[in-house]
Amino acid sequence: MKILGIDTSCDETAASVVANGREVLSNVVASQIEVHQEYGGVVPELASRKHIEAINYIVSRALAEADVTFKDLTAIAVTNRPGLIGALLVGVASAKSLAYCHKLPLLGINHIEGHIYANYMVHDALTFPHICLTVSGGHTLLVEVHEGWQYKVLGSTQDDAAGEVYDKVAKYLGLGFPGGKIIDDLAQTGDPTAIKFPRPMRNSGDYQFSFSGIKTSVRYFVEKARRAGVLVENGQEDAKDTNPDTITVEDIAASFQAAVVDVLTYKSIRAAKSTGAKAITLTGGVAANSQLRSSLKTAGVEIGAEVYYPPMNLCTDNGAMIAGIAYEKYKQGLRDNLSLNAAANGSIMERK
Ligand code: KG4
Ligand code: ZN
């Protein structure tokens, strides 16, 4: 059963054809990073316009690369929530038109369910129930995933998403957008114990997260260090030899990352321990983070839980994960009609 999956929820125009939920026949993504880079973040109106320009081409590429036509498809799936409303509307309008023209069933999919499904597409040994940590530019969510793709949401961020905070911190440090990979790379040579940034809600006793406090703390620290003239921003590793008070961008990156990774790891492990889940999956753009991966792996070994993360092209936004979860939903009987609409918000617990 081949399904076309479309995702235009943020700044990537993505389409993919997947057979039987797991066999990725094509996975085409047009990134808009260059468009948004000069603004230091995603500009919703620009994102919508770029999706309109790209969508038809990306869908036809996805079909061509999979070597299929609409006649070979069983259904068309599209992310219809949550995300940037104007961006989502482009994918939804496209999917509805195609479903109508080609007389194919239509399925509206929750973007986060796609992220959660990504690990299952590549890890045959993944067992249920498992704990899934979704960390991206727009979301931070800890979920218990049961057989049949039934979920129990354990916690989410009360303010900023983890990826959003990476992007903001990179902005304060003048490092460019998106900041996650840049900070991750700089942190490799920094001292994670150089500055003790706060770990908000680490010991709250629940599974909620809060990252805006870390963000503000880094911002004040950077401003103060700049004013005092002790911030080394040009990679001068020997600066400390001449002035022990200097602080490098690498140290700030490493210390910031240590705070974020500590909280994410701690709560994910706690969730696995208390639910007895024997597997933890990591997904979303921030799942690419080297420190988060290794920290969770190490902590997972200590409690006997296997830790999984998907390859990069399934971590970040893509249409394959949408086609993947749509296969399960199709089997469960889900169908939408042409009144399907986009929604900026939407919990994975709700049908729509
Ligand atoms: O899942 P994604 O592609 O889009 C959203 O749905 O948001 O995630 C993008 C986010 C950005 O905030 C980016 O900075 C972050 O993922 N990211 C990383 C890394 N690579 C990407 N964050 C930390 N470390 C990385 N290596
Ligand atoms: Zn995403």
Side-chain angles (χ1 to χ4, degrees):
M1 184 193 299
K2 298 183 180 96
I3 294 181
L4 168 68
I6 296 174
D7 187 289
T8 60
S9 59
C10 190
D11 59 342
E12 262 115 17
T13 315
S16 160
V17 178
V18 176
N20 305 321
R22 285 175 142 174
E23 199 189 330
V24 181
L25 303 179
S26 65
N27 191 7
V28 184
V29 180
S31 167
Q32 304 178 355
I33 281 182
E34 279 174 19
V35 179
H36 302 288
Q37 228 152 21
E38 65 174 293
Y39 303 98
V42 177
V43 182
E45 179 58 26
L46 283 180
S48 314
R49 286 165 191 262
K50 284 286 154 191
H51 284 311
I52 291 172
E53 284 171 26
I55 188 75
N56 288 346
Y57 176 66
I58 295 301
V59 167
S60 55
R61 274 274 305 275
L63 293 175
E65 286 184 22
D67 201 16
V68 299
T69 67
F70 283 102
K71 285 196 179 65
D72 301 310
L73 297 177
T74 301
I76 296 181
V78 62
T79 298
N80 74 318
R81 67 199 191 280
L84 300 172
I85 190 70
L88 286 165
L89 277 168
V90 178
V92 170
S94 162
K96 280 180 7 182
S97 317
L98 293 170
Y100 176 73
C101 290
H102 299 283
K103 299 188 175 50
L104 284 165
L106 173 72
L107 287 86
I109 298 292
N110 182 306
H111 181 76
I112 306 298
E113 286 196 68
H115 275 305
I116 293 172
Y117 194 77
N119 276 287
Y120 182 75
M121 297 177 77
V122 283
H123 299 297
D124 290 344
L126 180 59
T127 50
F128 295 90
H130 61 257
I131 300 297
C132 178
L133 175 67
T134 304
V135 266
S136 72
H139 312 278
T140 305
L141 194 70
L142 198 59
V143 178
E144 196 179 327
V145 185
H146 291 269
E147 200 89 52
W149 304 98
Q150 302 293 317
Y151 314 102
K152 182 175 173 202
V153 175
L154 300 174
S156 61
T157 181
Q158 306 299 291
D159 39 57
D160 297 353
E164 192 179 347
V165 175
Y166 264 95
D167 295 338
K168 290 274 167 57
V169 164
K171 200 170 175 178
Y172 302 150
L173 290 166
L175 298 172
F177 173 82
K181 169 94 173 71
I182 306 171
I183 300 241
D184 192 3
D185 290 347
L186 285 171
Q188 310 285 338
T189 54
D191 173 7
T193 63
I195 311 139
K196 183 97 181 115
F197 288 122
R199 270 86 168 143
M201 294 188 80
R202 186 186 192 274
N203 301 313
S204 58
D206 56 21
Y207 300 109
Q208 309 298 350
F209 299 95
S210 168
F211 294 107
S212 76
I214 304 182
K215 178 184 76 179
T216 310
S217 184
V218 175
R219 182 174 165 191
Y220 288 155
F221 186 91
V222 170
E223 284 172 1
K224 205 169 149 206
R226 269 206 189 108
R227 272 199 308 273
V230 293
L231 182 64
V232 181
E233 304 191 59
N234 52 7
Q236 264 183 292
E237 277 171 16
D238 56 356
K240 270 204 172 81
D241 300 342
T242 44
N243 179 0
D245 290 336
T246 55
I247 186 90
T248 64
V249 167
E250 286 81 357
D251 283 350
I252 296 174
S255 300
F256 156 73
Q257 181 155 286
V260 173
V261 168
D262 178 26
V263 179
L264 290 172
T265 305
Y266 180 76
K267 297 224 168 179
S268 306
I269 294 294
R270 203 173 148 260
K273 253 177 33 197
S274 75
T275 59
K278 288 282 160 255
I280 302 172
T281 61
L282 187 57
T283 187
V286 185
N289 188 265
S290 57
Q291 185 63 37
L292 180 58
R293 287 179 172 207
S294 65
S295 159
L296 254 188
K297 273 263 187 223
T298 309
V301 168
E302 279 166 23
I303 62 158
E306 200 66 49
V307 174
Y308 299 96
Y309 33 78
M312 236 356 245
N313 64 341
L314 293 179
C315 264
T316 49
D317 289 353
N318 65 87
M321 65 186 192
I322 303 305
I325 184 66
Y327 168 71
E328 308 292 338
K329 300 269 167 186
Y330 185 90
K331 285 194 297 180
Q332 289 173 2
L334 175 76
R335 305 287 184 275
D336 282 297
N337 59 35
L338 295 177
S339 67
L340 179 73
N341 211 344
N345 300 308
S347 156
I348 57 169
M349 305 299 289
E350 293 158 13
R351 164 63 190 86
K352 277 195 185 165

